Amino acid sequence: MSDRAAPEPPARLTRWEQRTEVPLFLAGLLFLTGYAVRVLTPHEAEPWNDLALTLVWSTWLLFLVDYVARLRLSGLGARFPRVHLLDTVVLLLPLLRPLRMVQVYQAVQRRHDRPRLNLYARVMAYAGITVGLLGLAASLAVYHLEHRAPDASIRTFGDAVWWACATLTTVGYGDATPVTFWGRVVAAGLMACGLALLGAVTGSFSSWLIQVFAREDEKRPPERG
Amino acid sequence: MSDRAAPEPPARLTRWEQRTEVPLFLAGLLFLTGYAVRVLTPHEAEPWNDLALTLVWSTWLLFLVDYVARLRLSGLGARFPRVHLLDTVVLLLPLLRPLRMVQVYQAVQRRHDRPRLNLYARVMAYAGITVGLLGLAASLAVYHLEHRAPDASIRTFGDAVWWACATLTTVGYGDATPVTFWGRVVAAGLMACGLALLGAVTGSFSSWLIQVFAREDEKRPPERG
Amino acid sequence: MSDRAAPEPPARLTRWEQRTEVPLFLAGLLFLTGYAVRVLTPHEAEPWNDLALTLVWSTWLLFLVDYVARLRLSGLGARFPRVHLLDTVVLLLPLLRPLRMVQVYQAVQRRHDRPRLNLYARVMAYAGITVGLLGLAASLAVYHLEHRAPDASIRTFGDAVWWACATLTTVGYGDATPVTFWGRVVAAGLMACGLALLGAVTGSFSSWLIQVFAREDEKRPPERG
Amino acid sequence: MSDRAAPEPPARLTRWEQRTEVPLFLAGLLFLTGYAVRVLTPHEAEPWNDLALTLVWSTWLLFLVDYVARLRLSGLGARFPRVHLLDTVVLLLPLLRPLRMVQVYQAVQRRHDRPRLNLYARVMAYAGITVGLLGLAASLAVYHLEHRAPDASIRTFGDAVWWACATLTTVGYGDATPVTFWGRVVAAGLMACGLALLGAVTGSFSSWLIQVFAREDEKRPPERG
């Protein structure tokens, strides 16, 4: 959001962003896959683990190259990290990459000219997919941090996904909760991001439903206010 | 919602849908009843159980016939399952049938011309009934899947209903939670559907209340902004 | 809400309602007080308990008289219980009386002409007070039903109030939960009513805050969109 | 909000408030820091503890001076505490000071003329910071009240922060909950304030997201409704 208050970016930066957005999103998915394999397979499973590690580091290198390129093209110099705060955070924590989904979505839209979804459907689709990817990333991270802790209630990856579902929907049964410091930090981050995004899904669905019922009203003469 | 982006359906399909909507909704209630009897009575209770099983299968056959008929009438061929995704999911999981309630509601409205409820009241009624039916279906399914699991906290149908209430309202006490894999899958589905629908109930109620208080303002001259 | 779809009530009924609304609300508070004394004092505490019981029954008689009077004045006959469904429910469960608060609020407003609160403030005040009274009534009822149950986690009235807070805000810690059938029925009712009302509080507060920040915008020339 | 219904304050009071708002906010942060040091260090840690106690009392004296000055300047006399209810509560419970953030925000805005954030971003920033400060204050207070109670589940300051996160987002795992009377009173206050503020954050984010997607629509000719 701080991006919006900044002056208009130069044309070369805009072009760079439009061209790299989709490849970078795919790189983000590869990063997530690599991290998933690394976390979910035992450390002795040699070939897979090495491959996953290579994937994680090479995609991260790609993110770094993109960040430096954009820093150069923007002409902002040392002010870039502060103005593009979200990008800086996402570089340091690539698991948060789904948060940049709006840009990806817009880049995809710009290319294809197929009949588009209704406004609320688009918001729901965007927020829903972002929540899903964030929840998956948080499940992996929490499983990674928790499953060997003494007194942990999250012992399998299934538990971690179940915990993420209960947390994102704010149900919070409490049958599986993080107990380590870093596990709780990840959980607090998931609550903060997830809540706002899920609120967007719920709000859009509600608005869409009211719109559907209101449209039906227009078709026939109203009988009472 | 994907239905809305599709081209206008042919007139014969529309007529078919208008005519079958209410019978199919009643068949859906019969399916739910059959499933309930099957789940809640002991397996040895011969006459009831057989009747219930027959009911479940015969209503499902009806859904299949309807699905095939609409696939034919739509003229979409193999693209039908993808375009009418919700219908396909509902065919495979008939317990989700309540999600098609909007159509039923509209079909009923089209027939009767009695004074209708206020917009927000209609959204609340629709979303409330859908949530109720979904909650009931989820309670039955979770009871079915959980009540014999070791370490289960959902042991009676009452527990399952209590769990569904606490989950749909996102209270989530955690005194009764699913512990099996499939029980948790059903729970995650209930959270996702229920949240959005309950958000619609809450949002409509809030809008209705503001409307009531605002209308009262119009009746007398305002004293301050 | 079903009241709104009904034809305009006769003038005599309207006059009756305007005149009795506030006395009946006070009677409702007396009923709540009587019930509270009855539930919270030990049964042997003779003078208080008898007084409380008298209070409960005499106020309930008042409600019955009002209901019959309105049934007569409305000219609806046997259709009255169905059209005025909320009133019928409130007669049978006087602890739900706070739900009729909108009418009380409007009756009070009609009398006094003092500078009134902002629209959102009014909705918040109304919904907040209703939630508070409902929460209090539910705490009393749940304490009444639970405190002697074996394995109960709600043992004192303080526990019951704490449970009601955690339930109404959908936090749901689960450290105090009803375990009896009727306790859970009351809890489910509280969740359903409370959620919608609290959603109205939250929604109004949010709208009010946005209004305050937007008004500030109008005062000075905008610098960017 | 009751402030809004009051007659326009005299010019001298307005000037006083504009000038003292930011210093008082900083004093509020000092108060919080002093309280934090007092609560988090052992009582024997002489120099720090004495300094913290001095800080707490001297900043509170400042609040008292400001309150009396405003009472005088307002010309309301004994009606001041009732009209400015929020200010009176904040004087007695300085940990609630963050609730006065709107005024601080407006005072800061009035001074600087830098390009401002979008409406929704401002509401989110304001509500987010207020929630953060309230959560921190509540964590300190609950840790203070709970950590020595028998059977307490909140034993470290980390537990208290974790509890505050789970409470504010209404997740409510229940793995850490207050057990003392005053701890529960603080918790109930946090739920009430936090819920409304977090609803504002969520609502604004949702509105902002819909705005972003809607703006994109305006840029290109719509293909379907």
Side-chain angles (χ1 to χ4, degrees):
Chain A
M1 217 156 315
S2 49
D3 297 18
R4 296 193 58 251
E8 280 296 313
R12 277 168 62 207
L13 177 59
T14 310
R15 251 199 329 273
W16 171 273
E17 281 176 347
Q18 282 180 21
R19 280 196 195 141
T20 57
E21 206 56 72
V22 176
L24 281 175
F25 178 63
L26 298 179
L29 290 185
L30 278 182
F31 181 92
L32 199 60
T33 313
Y35 184 66
V37 171
R38 180 94 180 116
V39 165
L40 297 178
T41 56
H43 275 281
E44 300 78 37
E46 276 279 325
W48 288 111
N49 233 302
D50 289 358
L51 195 71
L53 210 63
T54 317
L55 206 61
V56 164
W57 281 108
S58 56
T59 46
W60 191 78
L61 212 71
L62 228 69
F63 299 151
L64 187 65
V65 167
D66 167 65
Y67 187 80
V68 172
R70 288 167 61 205
L71 190 151
R72 287 280 173 105
L73 289 170
S74 72
L76 288 170
R79 274 167 48 222
F80 185 83
R82 207 168 50 77
V83 174
H84 294 266
L85 196 62
L86 181 60
D87 292 329
T88 314
V89 170
V90 160
L91 180 71
L92 298 179
L93 291 168
L95 285 178
L96 289 178
R97 223 130 230 283
L99 289 180
R100 293 201 61 220
M101 274 282 290
V102 190
Q103 284 102 318
V104 178
Y105 175 82
Q106 287 173 345
V108 170
Q109 282 286 327
R110 231 169 273 127
R111 250 170 252 190
H112 304 287
D113 257 348
R114 48 160 191 158
R116 294 175 315 158
L117 289 169
N118 165 294
L119 171 62
Y120 296 123
R122 289 210 313 275
V123 175
M124 279 169 74
Y126 157 68
I129 292 172
T130 309
V131 157
L133 287 176
L134 270 185
L136 187 60
S139 301
L140 285 168
V142 160
Y143 170 70
H144 185 36
L145 293 160
E146 291 280 323
H147 76 289
R148 288 191 184 166
D151 310 318
S153 51
I154 298 173
R155 298 214 157 277
T156 68
F157 182 60
D159 287 344
V161 171
W162 173 241
W163 160 82
C165 286
T167 300
L168 278 172
T169 56
T170 78
V171 170
Y173 293 121
D175 54 350
T177 47
V179 293
T180 64
F181 177 74
W182 287 108
R184 287 180 170 183
V185 168
V186 171
L190 183 69
M191 288 174 198
C193 297
L195 247 188
L197 283 163
L198 217 76
V201 177
T202 312
S204 301
F205 179 77
S206 182
S207 301
W208 172 75
L209 207 63
I210 289 174
Q211 201 188 49
V212 167
F213 278 83
R215 193 170 300 164
E216 180 200 337
D217 271 354
E218 288 162 22
K219 290 190 190 154
R220 27 146 115 208
E223 287 148 64
R224 357 181 72 233
Chain B
M1 216 156 312
S2 49
D3 298 19
R4 296 193 59 252
E8 281 295 313
R12 277 169 62 208
L13 178 57
T14 311
R15 252 200 327 276
W16 172 272
E17 281 177 348
Q18 282 180 20
R19 279 195 197 142
T20 56
E21 206 56 71
V22 176
L24 281 175
F25 177 64
L26 298 178
L29 289 185
L30 279 183
F31 181 92
L32 198 60
T33 314
Y35 183 66
V37 171
R38 180 93 179 114
V39 166
L40 296 177
T41 55
H43 275 280
E44 300 78 39
E46 275 280 325
W48 287 112
N49 233 301
D50 289 358
L51 193 71
L53 210 63
T54 317
L55 206 60
V56 165
W57 281 109
S58 56
T59 45
W60 191 78
L61 212 72
L62 228 69
F63 300 150
L64 187 65
V65 167
D66 166 65
Y67 187 80
V68 171
R70 289 168 60 207
L71 190 150
R72 286 281 173 106
L73 290 170
S74 72
L76 288 170
R79 274 167 47 221
F80 185 83
R82 207 168 49 79
V83 174
H84 294 266
L85 196 63
L86 182 59
D87 291 329
T88 314
V89 171
V90 160
L91 180 72
L92 298 179
L93 290 168
L95 286 178
L96 290 179
R97 223 130 231 285
L99 289 180
R100 294 202 60 220
M101 275 280 290
V102 191
Q103 285 101 318
V104 178
Y105 175 83
Q106 288 173 346
V108 170
Q109 281 286 327
R110 229 168 274 129
R111 250 170 252 188
H112 304 287
D113 256 347
R114 50 161 190 156
R116 294 174 314 156
L117 288 169
N118 166 293
L119 170 63
Y120 295 123
R122 289 211 313 275
V123 175
M124 279 169 74
Y126 157 67
I129 292 171
T130 309
V131 156
L133 288 176
L134 269 185
L136 187 59
S139 300
L140 285 168
V142 160
Y143 169 71
H144 185 36
L145 294 161
E146 290 281 323
H147 76 290
R148 286 190 185 166
D151 310 317
S153 51
I154 299 174
R155 298 215 157 276
T156 67
F157 182 60
D159 287 344
V161 171
W162 173 242
W163 161 82
C165 286
T167 300
L168 278 173
T169 55
T170 78
V171 170
Y173 292 121
D175 53 350
T177 48
V179 294
T180 64
F181 177 75
W182 287 108
R184 288 180 171 184
V185 168
V186 171
L190 183 69
M191 287 175 200
C193 298
L195 247 188
L197 283 163
L198 217 77
V201 177
T202 311
S204 301
F205 178 77
S206 183
S207 300
W208 172 75
L209 207 63
I210 289 174
Q211 201 188 48
V212 167
F213 278 82
R215 193 170 299 166
E216 182 200 334
D217 271 356
E218 287 161 23
K219 290 188 190 155
R220 27 147 113 209
E223 286 150 64
R224 1 180 70 232
Chain C
M1 214 157 313
S2 49
D3 298 19
R4 296 193 58 252
E8 280 296 312
R12 278 169 62 207
L13 178 57
T14 312
R15 253 202 324 278
W16 170 273
E17 281 177 347
Q18 283 181 21
R19 280 196 196 140
T20 57
E21 206 57 71
V22 175
L24 280 175
F25 178 63
L26 297 178
L29 290 185
L30 279 182
F31 181 91
L32 198 61
T33 313
Y35 183 66
V37 171
R38 180 93 180 115
V39 166
L40 297 178
T41 56
H43 275 281
E44 300 79 39
E46 275 279 325
W48 287 112
N49 233 301
D50 288 0
L51 192 72
L53 210 63
T54 317
L55 206 62
V56 164
W57 281 108
S58 57
T59 46
W60 190 79
L61 212 73
L62 227 70
F63 300 150
L64 187 65
V65 167
D66 167 66
Y67 187 80
V68 172
R70 288 169 60 206
L71 190 150
R72 288 280 173 106
L73 289 170
S74 72
L76 289 170
R79 274 168 48 222
F80 185 83
R82 207 169 49 79
V83 174
H84 294 266
L85 196 63
L86 182 59
D87 292 328
T88 314
V89 170
V90 161
L91 180 71
L92 298 178
L93 290 168
L95 286 178
L96 288 179
R97 224 130 230 282
L99 288 179
R100 294 202 59 219
M101 274 281 291
V102 190
Q103 285 101 319
V104 178
Y105 176 83
Q106 288 172 345
V108 170
Q109 281 286 327
R110 231 168 273 128
R111 252 171 250 190
H112 303 287
D113 256 347
R114 51 164 189 151
R116 293 174 317 157
L117 288 169
N118 166 292
L119 171 62
Y120 295 123
R122 290 210 313 275
V123 175
M124 279 169 73
Y126 157 68
I129 292 171
T130 309
V131 156
L133 287 176
L134 270 185
L136 187 59
S139 300
L140 285 168
V142 160
Y143 169 71
H144 185 38
L145 294 161
E146 291 281 324
H147 77 288
R148 287 192 185 166
D151 310 318
S153 51
I154 298 173
R155 297 215 158 275
T156 67
F157 183 60
D159 286 345
V161 172
W162 172 242
W163 161 82
C165 285
T167 300
L168 278 172
T169 55
T170 77
V171 170
Y173 292 122
D175 53 350
T177 48
V179 294
T180 63
F181 177 74
W182 286 108
R184 287 181 171 183
V185 169
V186 171
L190 183 68
M191 286 175 201
C193 298
L195 246 189
L197 283 164
L198 217 74
V201 177
T202 311
S204 301
F205 179 77
S206 183
S207 301
W208 172 75
L209 207 63
I210 288 174
Q211 201 188 47
V212 167
F213 278 82
R215 193 170 300 166
E216 182 202 334
D217 270 355
E218 289 163 22
K219 290 189 190 155
R220 27 146 114 210
E223 287 150 63
R224 0 181 71 233
Chain D
M1 216 155 315
S2 49
D3 297 19
R4 296 193 58 251
E8 280 296 312
R12 276 169 62 207
L13 177 59
T14 311
R15 251 200 327 276
W16 170 273
E17 281 177 347
Q18 282 181 20
R19 279 196 196 141
T20 56
E21 205 57 71
V22 175
L24 281 175
F25 177 63
L26 297 179
L29 290 185
L30 279 182
F31 181 92
L32 199 61
T33 313
Y35 184 66
V37 171
R38 181 94 181 115
V39 166
L40 297 178
T41 56
H43 275 282
E44 300 79 37
E46 275 278 325
W48 287 111
N49 234 301
D50 288 359
L51 193 72
L53 209 63
T54 318
L55 206 61
V56 165
W57 281 109
S58 56
T59 45
W60 191 78
L61 212 73
L62 228 69
F63 299 151
L64 187 66
V65 168
D66 167 65
Y67 187 80
V68 171
R70 288 168 61 206
L71 190 150
R72 289 278 173 107
L73 289 170
S74 72
L76 289 170
R79 275 169 46 223
F80 185 83
R82 207 169 49 79
V83 175
H84 294 266
L85 196 63
L86 181 60
D87 292 329
T88 313
V89 170
V90 160
L91 180 71
L92 298 179
L93 290 168
L95 285 178
L96 289 178
R97 223 130 231 283
L99 288 180
R100 294 202 60 219
M101 273 282 291
V102 191
Q103 285 102 318
V104 178
Y105 175 82
Q106 287 172 344
V108 170
Q109 281 285 329
R110 230 168 273 128
R111 250 171 250 191
H112 304 288
D113 256 347
R114 51 163 188 155
R116 294 175 314 159
L117 289 169
N118 167 293
L119 171 63
Y120 295 123
R122 288 211 313 275
V123 175
M124 280 169 74
Y126 158 68
I129 292 172
T130 308
V131 156
L133 287 176
L134 270 185
L136 187 59
S139 301
L140 285 169
V142 160
Y143 170 71
H144 185 36
L145 294 161
E146 290 281 324
H147 77 289
R148 286 190 185 167
D151 310 318
S153 52
I154 298 174
R155 298 215 156 276
T156 67
F157 182 60
D159 286 345
V161 171
W162 172 242
W163 161 81
C165 285
T167 300
L168 278 172
T169 55
T170 77
V171 170
Y173 291 121
D175 54 349
T177 47
V179 293
T180 64
F181 177 74
W182 286 109
R184 287 180 171 184
V185 169
V186 171
L190 183 68
M191 287 175 201
C193 298
L195 246 189
L197 283 163
L198 217 76
V201 176
T202 311
S204 301
F205 179 76
S206 183
S207 300
W208 172 75
L209 207 63
I210 289 174
Q211 200 188 49
V212 167
F213 278 82
R215 192 170 300 164
E216 181 200 335
D217 271 354
E218 290 164 22
K219 289 190 191 154
R220 26 146 116 208
E223 285 149 64
R224 8 179 65 234

